[in-house]
Amino acid sequence: MTDGSDEHQEAVVNGGPRGDRPDPRPRRGFWFGLVVAIVKPFMLVFTKPEFTGRENMPRSGGVVFAPNHISHFDPLVLGFYIWECRRIPRFLGKASVFKLPIAGRIISSAGQIPVYRESTQAADAFRDAVAAVERGECVGVYPEGTISRDPDLWPMSGKTGVARIALRTGCPVIPIANWGAQEVIRSYTGKTRIRLLPRKTIKVRAGKPVDLSAFTDKPITNELLHEATEVIMHAVAETLGELRGETPPKELFDLRKARSDDGEEKA
């Protein structure tokens, strides 16, 4: 980075002027380093990042971050954000993706984590994520499981994976909100559109760790997991509300119920 505009951009991303001495970067390895070398310049050229709340992300130790999902573009946004938090993001992905000839090799070598959805045991599906957290990794799980279908792109009701990992390991859960990625790629609108120019402002904010103390030291039942998940999802929605300057809905969009109602109407 050589000119003044780049220097300002880095100040926005890193939270201070270059004279600050941030925490050292974690050791990233060749494959993840290759991803960083490609993604970070791309993001700085084609987006205007506004990153806040990075002080809420623990700088070491096992942690799960739970982001909202609004676009096929936001995994790049969130990966960049976590990297700027001085952590290496380890996202969960479908196990089948890891079997792809080239992409699977890169994803696996970069330390990303497969989810075994075909497993008959729900706990087994997240075994690698639990192991990663116990090693002190920063693991990312989209609790909604898919891109939001809420008409206003608020978070939907979530699946129990984040709560399962957190209650199994005792690690903190960090709610993360992102906004602006939907302007780059609008997903599920009938026709996918990619618009890199003009540069879009991309906002990301990490909230304070979710208080799950009411659920600790109790048997991990399905009911307990659903209750903890509801608390996590409302924390994600509140963080997004802070980012958007709006009040999130009290009742989150339920995709399963919406599909069921739609099926009844068609019938």
Side-chain angles (χ1 to χ4, degrees):
M1 299 183 182
T2 57
D3 62 28
S5 60
D6 286 343
E7 184 167 296
H8 173 71
Q9 182 70 64
E10 187 171 78
V12 172
V13 171
N14 290 335
R18 288 184 173 186
D20 291 351
R21 291 187 176 276
D23 293 346
R25 295 285 190 188
R27 299 185 66 178
R28 56 195 183 184
F30 172 78
W31 287 103
F32 192 84
L34 178 63
V35 173
V36 171
I38 295 171
V39 172
K40 182 170 181 176
F42 174 86
M43 295 297 293
L44 290 176
V45 168
F46 290 107
T47 70
K48 300 176 183 178
E50 292 184 6
F51 293 168
T52 57
R54 292 185 301 133
E55 68 278 2
N56 292 320
M57 176 62 68
R59 296 302 174 90
S60 62
V63 60
V64 173
F65 63 94
N68 66 316
H69 201 0
I70 55 175
S71 167
H72 287 103
F73 187 67
D74 64 47
L76 290 182
V77 173
L78 293 161
F80 182 29
Y81 178 82
I82 297 301
W83 176 247
E84 293 303 319
C85 288
R86 270 29 191 195
R87 297 300 301 261
I88 293 179
R90 308 296 191 192
F91 282 98
L92 268 66
K94 295 179 182 178
S96 58
V97 175
F98 289 73
K99 299 176 183 179
L100 297 175
I102 298 176
R105 166 78 183 277
I106 295 174
I107 292 169
S108 179
S109 299
Q112 306 311 294
I113 302 170
V115 178
Y116 304 97
R117 292 183 176 177
E118 71 278 7
S119 173
T120 56
Q121 298 294 324
D124 288 345
F126 296 96
R127 63 179 183 265
D128 289 349
V130 169
V133 169
E134 291 177 339
R135 289 195 306 269
E137 300 275 13
C138 181
V139 175
V141 183
Y142 280 110
E144 297 162 276
T146 187
I147 292 171
S148 178
R149 304 301 202 279
D150 180 272
D152 296 316
L153 291 181
W154 289 105
M156 303 185 294
S157 57
K159 300 180 183 298
T160 61
V162 174
R164 189 181 297 276
I165 296 166
L167 296 177
R168 174 83 177 270
T169 63
C171 73
V173 174
I174 306 299
I176 292 185
N178 82 100
W179 191 248
Q182 77 280 4
E183 298 299 329
V184 178
I185 299 180
R186 293 185 179 273
S187 305
Y188 299 112
T189 56
K191 183 178 181 181
T192 300
R193 297 180 298 170
I194 301 176
R195 292 184 176 178
L196 292 173
L197 296 174
R199 294 165 69 201
K200 308 298 187 294
T201 297
I202 304 294
K203 298 181 179 181
V204 187
R205 179 176 180 80
K208 294 182 179 180
V210 181
D211 182 5
L212 297 178
S213 59
F215 308 103
T216 57
D217 300 323
K218 293 182 179 180
I220 300 178
T221 63
N222 283 334
E223 182 180 1
L224 185 80
L225 289 170
H226 283 289
E227 290 176 0
T229 298
E230 186 174 354
V231 171
I232 291 168
M233 292 312 304
H234 279 286
V236 175
E238 288 173 7
T239 305
L240 181 58
E242 294 172 1
L243 199 63
R244 291 170 55 170
E246 302 174 26
T247 302
K250 292 182 179 180
E251 184 174 349
L252 300 182
F253 185 84
D254 189 326
L255 181 58
R256 226 178 252 183
K257 183 177 183 299
R259 285 174 170 171
S260 175
D261 292 345
D262 188 51
E264 289 175 1
E265 288 176 6
K266 289 180 179 179

